[in-house]
Amino acid sequence: MGFPALRTRGFYLAIVSLAFLQVTTIIIELFPDYTGGVRGISAPRPTLFGVRLRDFHFYYVILAVTALLYLLARNLSDSPIGRSFRALHANESVAGSLGVNVSRAKLIAFVVSSFYAGIAGALFAPLIGFIDPLEFGLSAAIHHIVLHPSVGGLGSVPRRAVRRVVRQRHL
């Protein structure tokens, strides 16, 4: 998905992402032997070292993974890759003129965001116990596009990291 979207920006990138969602939904419906089709698939209950976890215990697993991924995001925002992400966010043309490999940085951004989405899905499926394609359709995508930035704030982890770096330099 990352390679076709490298040349798109803004609104067109969102359209390419939503088109990929639709293609994925069609593929899920075409291969019901592997994906469960429109009926979905059952997810096994979560286990840790062979011991079945209750929801209460699985909460702590999710909490630990969330804390680990938060630290990973915070460290990524302080790294050269994170700085290139911020430069791309501010102005893609200027970032390219300053030596940021725009295609590489965009592709890394797709990989990182896909990694986070994959981890979220791997934690969500056993918690719910059943996954079907309707849960992740177009309406759910639009719901998440609106909900997540309004709750967490657009770029909230990098903003805190930038403030921390600025405060350290002024001390």
Side-chain angles (χ1 to χ4, degrees):
M1 152 85 201
F3 287 115
L6 284 177
R7 296 185 181 259
T8 59
R9 296 179 188 173
F11 179 71
Y12 297 106
L13 179 61
I15 289 176
V16 169
S17 299
L18 293 175
F20 181 72
L21 173 67
Q22 291 302 108
V23 169
T24 304
T25 303
I26 292 169
I27 290 172
I28 288 171
E29 292 173 5
L30 288 177
F31 297 104
D33 294 337
Y34 301 105
T35 63
V38 293
R39 294 180 183 209
I41 56 174
S42 295
R45 295 300 298 165
T47 60
L48 186 64
F49 303 116
V51 177
R52 180 175 279 187
L53 296 177
R54 295 182 182 161
D55 287 345
F56 179 73
H57 298 114
F58 193 54
Y59 164 78
Y60 288 112
V61 172
I62 293 173
L63 185 64
V65 170
T66 302
L68 182 69
L69 292 176
Y70 173 78
L71 292 174
L72 182 68
R74 206 172 89 195
N75 288 335
L76 181 69
S77 70
D78 291 338
S79 72
I81 294 171
R83 288 191 294 272
S84 66
F85 287 167
R86 286 192 299 279
L88 283 175
H89 177 73
N91 191 328
E92 195 172 311
S93 301
V94 172
S97 69
L98 292 174
V100 173
N101 186 340
V102 175
S103 298
R104 180 177 175 267
K106 279 185 174 183
L107 197 57
I108 291 172
F110 271 107
V111 169
V112 169
S113 64
S114 297
F115 170 74
Y116 275 83
I119 296 294
L123 293 173
F124 180 71
L127 182 66
I128 300 301
F130 179 78
I131 299 294
D132 68 356
L134 295 177
E135 291 184 34
F136 302 101
L138 184 62
S139 62
I142 292 172
H143 176 75
H144 291 297
I145 289 170
V146 172
L147 180 68
H148 290 225
S150 63
V151 171
L154 193 59
S156 58
V157 172
R159 284 185 187 158
R160 284 192 293 268
V162 168
R163 286 188 203 128
R164 188 176 65 242
V165 169
V166 169
R167 270 185 274 151
Q168 288 173 354
R169 289 187 181 167
H170 287 291
L171 292 178

